[in-house]
Amino acid sequence: MIFTYKQISRTPETKHEFLVGDKVIATSTCPYYHAGILQTKDGVFSMNIENLAGYEIEKDGLPFAYTKIDLVPTKKFFGIKIGYEFYNYLSSEHEIHIFEVGLGAGHHYWYLYDEDVLVAVIHKKDEVRMYLDEYTCYLIDEKYFDATALYCLFLESTAYYNHCLMDEPQINDTSCYTAQKQLREKYAPDFIPKIVKMEKEKNNNKVSG
């Protein structure tokens, strides 16, 4: 599965669309900082910050999932664990580990792992016009849509929340470079072409069928 996550407005409320091709399959809003609502054909998801380390996620008003910061320790300094951070997405269906990797302009990714298996990649468009963010998401299976979509919404309600920013500059660069060697090693250049090939074959089978 491949879908695009586009921010379509930021005032008076930030709004987004999830698209497969030109078809809108879901929408989301960020009513305020650290909060988001995702509407899909399967229900309405809402997320709110519980504390600075995690978010509670509900589906149709009932507990559904939780996301929190975790740490991969690489060494200890005076008994304190030091390492690199990642996010855990925890639900009754999945435990997804999410790692951010930035390798300069055009290469800003989040890698989603189900246990030790890479199941999805979020690729952020670095050149942002009028603070309207855009992401392309590549999934090995549609069952990971909820986790991927909710993490996109999480990014938009936190790191890339831009409701209160002024209109200038017209173009903003959000590229970054990851210093942590262990995180850079998560970079998997073969994954996106593999998903693109899978989607192309699936579409060809539909046409021939």
Side-chain angles (χ1 to χ4, degrees):
M1 181 183 192
I2 301 173
F3 69 85
T4 303
Y5 181 52
K6 283 187 176 182
Q7 183 176 355
I8 57 173
S9 70
R10 64 187 185 88
T11 57
E13 185 177 63
T14 58
K15 296 181 180 180
H16 319 83
E17 291 179 342
F18 296 83
L19 301 105
V20 173
D22 296 326
K23 182 181 178 182
V24 178
I25 60 170
T27 60
S28 69
T29 61
C30 298
Y32 51 87
Y33 188 44
H34 286 300
I37 298 169
L38 167 66
Q39 185 145 8
T40 74
K41 63 181 178 62
D42 296 323
V44 178
F45 300 81
S46 61
M47 61 168 59
N48 283 284
I49 193 165
E50 181 189 39
N51 52 54
L52 292 178
Y55 272 71
E56 291 182 335
I57 301 169
E58 294 183 346
K59 180 181 180 182
D60 297 328
L62 298 174
F64 177 76
Y66 187 77
T67 181
K68 66 183 182 73
I69 296 174
D70 216 329
L71 180 75
V72 176
T74 56
K75 58 183 177 181
K76 282 187 176 182
F77 185 71
F78 291 106
I80 300 173
K81 292 180 180 179
I82 298 174
Y84 57 93
E85 292 181 345
F86 68 98
Y87 267 88
N88 256 333
Y89 170 91
L90 308 168
S91 73
S92 60
E93 300 173 338
H94 307 292
E95 179 175 349
I96 308 293
H97 299 170
I98 305 168
F99 303 89
E100 181 179 10
V101 179
L103 298 173
H107 296 280
H108 194 173
Y109 307 97
W110 287 264
Y111 289 95
L112 284 70
Y113 285 82
D114 189 350
E115 296 185 355
D116 293 326
V117 179
L118 180 59
V119 296
V121 172
I122 300 169
H123 182 203
K124 187 177 190 305
K125 185 177 180 181
D126 286 325
E127 186 179 278
V128 179
R129 296 178 181 273
M130 300 298 291
Y131 295 107
L132 298 179
D133 297 302
E134 183 177 328
Y135 311 75
T136 305
C137 303
Y138 303 84
L139 285 61
I140 201 163
D141 193 290
E142 290 186 17
K143 68 182 180 180
Y144 296 107
F145 175 79
D146 288 348
T148 308
L150 285 164
Y151 196 74
C152 286
L153 179 56
F154 169 79
L155 291 171
E156 281 294 289
S157 67
T158 55
Y160 300 104
Y161 183 76
N162 48 33
H163 175 269
C164 298
L165 296 177
M166 301 296 289
D167 286 343
E168 299 293 341
Q170 298 291 316
I171 300 176
N172 189 38
D173 182 9
T174 61
S175 61
C176 68
Y177 189 83
T178 299
Q180 188 76 37
K181 179 176 180 290
Q182 291 91 338
L183 278 175
R184 292 199 308 272
E185 290 173 349
K186 297 288 183 184
Y187 178 56
D190 296 335
F191 184 84
I192 291 176
K194 179 176 75 172
I195 301 302
V196 170
K197 182 180 179 181
M198 286 171 55
E199 288 297 300
K200 185 176 181 180
E201 290 174 350
K202 183 171 70 173
N203 291 334
N204 288 341
N205 289 337
K206 284 182 181 179
V207 172
S208 61

